[in-house]
Amino acid sequence: MTDKIDLSVIIPVYNEAATCAEIIKRVQAISIVNEIIVVDDASTDGTIHILEKIDNIKVIRHEQNSGKGAAVRTGLAHVTGKYVITQDADLEYDPNDYLKLAEPMLAGSAEVVYGSRWLNKPIEWNIHYLINQMITLFANVFNGVFLTDMPTCYKLMPTTLLESLNLQSNGFGIDAEITAKLARNNISIKDIPIKYSKRGKQSGKKLRLRDGLVAAWTCFRYSFIEK
């Protein structure tokens, strides 16, 4: 059934010269992927030169670093596929999970599918896990949903639905904004477990406590203040 999905993948990239070529190769190997849009968010480590040498992808470059949310919004403006998902440019997420994520949507059991890094997994007592759980708790309380991993990169949905949300966030708050607006429109979200290989700060991990606080504020902002 998954061979019927027409999937576009948006890959925001910022200083990922060490991994961007490999993750794109992995995405290209997935049968349901028909389009890859890479948005280089003004990288300074030579990432753009690597991207320009890769065939069969669309590369868009920001002249100024504007954040993950801005890169996602830029990529979305160029999507032509029926469905869309974002992909981090490191190697933490496994694109093979796209097939698993597509199944409940095509079966009609969900309108949107989130890939959960923590569902059915042992608790990890580290700052990264705790920040993610804090953000997820805020999202659940403010939006009346029950998710296990709100800030996951993997959010698969129809392109027209994501476009209809009129996204505004520039940074990591984009995930909270998407979730709040989906909940406000009574869109059902199903989360299913995915594979995840966490990298550390020394390997370029960009999520910080400050980003968690921004995401928490964004949950509140788009749940109660802004449309």
Side-chain angles (χ1 to χ4, degrees), residues 9-21:
V9 182
I10 301 172
I11 308 181
V13 178
Y14 177 62
N15 287 346
E16 298 286 3
T19 59
C20 64

Side-chain angles (χ1 to χ4, degrees), residues 24 46 55 76 80 85 98 104 122-123 135 152-153 163 174 186 190 205 208:
I24 291 170
D55 294 331
L76 182 59
T80 63
I85 193 171
Y98 295 171
I123 294 175
I135 299 170
T152 177
C153 169
E163 290 172 336
I174 190 73
N186 297 314
K190 181 181 182 66
K205 187 69 181 177
R208 304 291 184 264

Side-chain angles (χ1 to χ4, degrees), residues 13-136:
V13 178
Y14 177 62
N15 287 346
E16 298 286 3
T19 59
C20 64
E22 177 60 27
I23 194 62
I24 291 170
K25 177 182 177 181
R26 296 182 187 185
V27 173
Q28 289 177 325
I30 307 304
S31 60
I32 61 175
V33 173
N34 291 326
E35 179 178 57
I36 300 174
I37 301 168
V38 185
V39 182
D40 179 72
D41 196 26
S43 295
T44 59
D45 67 344
T47 293
I48 187 62
H49 303 301
I50 296 173
L51 297 175
E52 290 173 342
K53 297 177 182 178
I54 301 176
D55 294 331
N56 301 317
I57 64 173
K58 182 181 295 182
V59 180
I60 305 162
R61 177 169 169 78
H62 284 170
E63 293 303 319
Q64 294 184 335
N65 181 254
S66 302
K68 176 184 176 181
V72 170
R73 292 191 291 113
T74 294
L76 182 59
H78 296 268
V79 166
T80 63
K82 184 176 180 181
Y83 296 90
V84 63
I85 193 171
T86 58
Q87 170 71 55
D88 284 350
D90 53 35
L91 304 178
E92 291 187 325
Y93 292 82
D94 185 352
N96 284 296
D97 281 324
Y98 295 171
L99 301 170
K100 185 193 300 185
L101 292 167
E103 289 176 357
M105 182 176 298
L106 294 179
S109 61
E111 296 173 87
V112 175
V113 182
Y114 282 19
S116 174
R117 295 164 290 178
W118 320 118
L119 186 61
N120 300 332
K121 305 280 182 64
I123 294 175
E124 297 184 17
W125 295 110
N126 55 60
I127 188 64
H128 178 247
Y129 175 81
L130 293 175
I131 291 173
N132 276 273
Q133 291 305 296
M134 175 191 73
I135 299 170
T136 299

Side-chain angles (χ1 to χ4, degrees), residues 164-199:
S164 73
L165 300 182
N166 188 28
L167 300 175
Q168 303 295 319
S169 298
N170 285 332
F172 284 103
I174 190 73
D175 295 305
E177 181 184 355
I178 289 172
T179 302
K181 290 183 174 180
L182 289 174
R184 194 170 63 215
N185 287 283
N186 297 314
I187 303 298
S188 65
I189 304 172
K190 181 181 182 66
D191 58 353
I192 63 175
I194 58 171
K195 296 182 285 294
Y196 181 63
S197 179
K198 181 171 63 68
R199 64 174 179 170

